[in-house]
Amino acid sequence: MRLTAALLWISAASAQTIRFTPVPQETIEKRLGAYTTKNPEREPALRRLFEEAGCPGEKLAEQPVKGLKAPNLICTLPAPDSGAVIVVGAHFDLEEAGDGVVDNWSGASLLPSLYQGLLGVPLRHTFRFVSFSGEERGMVGSQAYVKELL
């Protein structure tokens, strides 16, 4: 009980305001509508959204995931002189039985908008936007990402 209270206090004491530039609602809706119902087309579609949002090639990387054709897609927004990284993630793959919009694409398609909203704003921490592959197969992409961190 005391540990929980201490963690809450530390969390509240270190809370910071994150400044951002709002992304137009039309842009967010357009990105949400860019979904495809075929898994092999999802990573390239998301890559295009990141590029349109201003995440250039040198900041947009693929992380191969063993056993999967589609890689994790990682867009990094660096902060100068920051060793701290905030990871914001979502998965883009879907169960073939549905469209995978509400559960999967809604989160994945927001990542480029979050990136865009933080562009040009002074940052204290680096942000890494990770689009995970293979989550419907047992969190394969996120486990591969975490394993590489260790």
Side-chain angles (χ1 to χ4, degrees):
M1 184 71 156
R2 288 183 191 171
L3 179 59
T4 304
L7 289 174
L8 289 174
W9 178 81
I10 291 169
S11 178
S14 65
Q16 299 175 13
T17 301
I18 297 176
R19 300 193 190 297
F20 63 95
T21 303
V23 175
Q25 180 175 340
E26 300 80 30
T27 301
I28 294 169
E29 290 174 0
K30 178 183 169 218
R31 290 175 179 154
L32 179 62
Y35 75 94
T36 174
T37 59
K38 296 181 180 9
N39 269 321
E41 298 172 359
R42 285 203 162 199
E43 185 268 335
L46 195 53
R47 173 180 289 282
R48 285 190 296 278
L49 296 181
F50 269 119
E51 290 169 347
E52 290 170 6
C55 186
E58 69 273 5
K59 293 183 182 173
L60 188 58
E62 292 181 354
Q63 177 194 28
V65 179
K66 186 177 179 180
L68 299 178
K69 291 180 182 176
N72 288 336
L73 190 60
I74 304 168
C75 176
T76 302
L77 183 57
D81 305 320
S82 173
V85 176
I86 296 173
V87 176
V88 183
H91 70 105
F92 59 84
D93 62 318
L94 68 118
E95 283 290 336
E96 296 295 334
D99 290 342
V101 176
V102 175
D103 174 37
N104 317 50
W105 192 255
S106 60
S109 70
L110 277 175
L111 294 177
S113 296
L114 293 170
Y115 173 88
Q116 183 178 351
L118 292 170
L119 270 177
V121 176
L123 300 174
R124 294 185 61 191
H125 305 291
T126 293
F127 282 80
R128 191 163 296 138
F129 301 93
V130 185
S131 307
F132 298 110
S133 179
E135 294 305 282
E136 297 292 355
R137 295 180 62 191
M139 300 189 311
V140 178
S142 58
Q143 288 180 7
Y145 179 78
V146 170
K147 186 176 180 181
E148 194 166 298
L149 292 176
L150 302 176

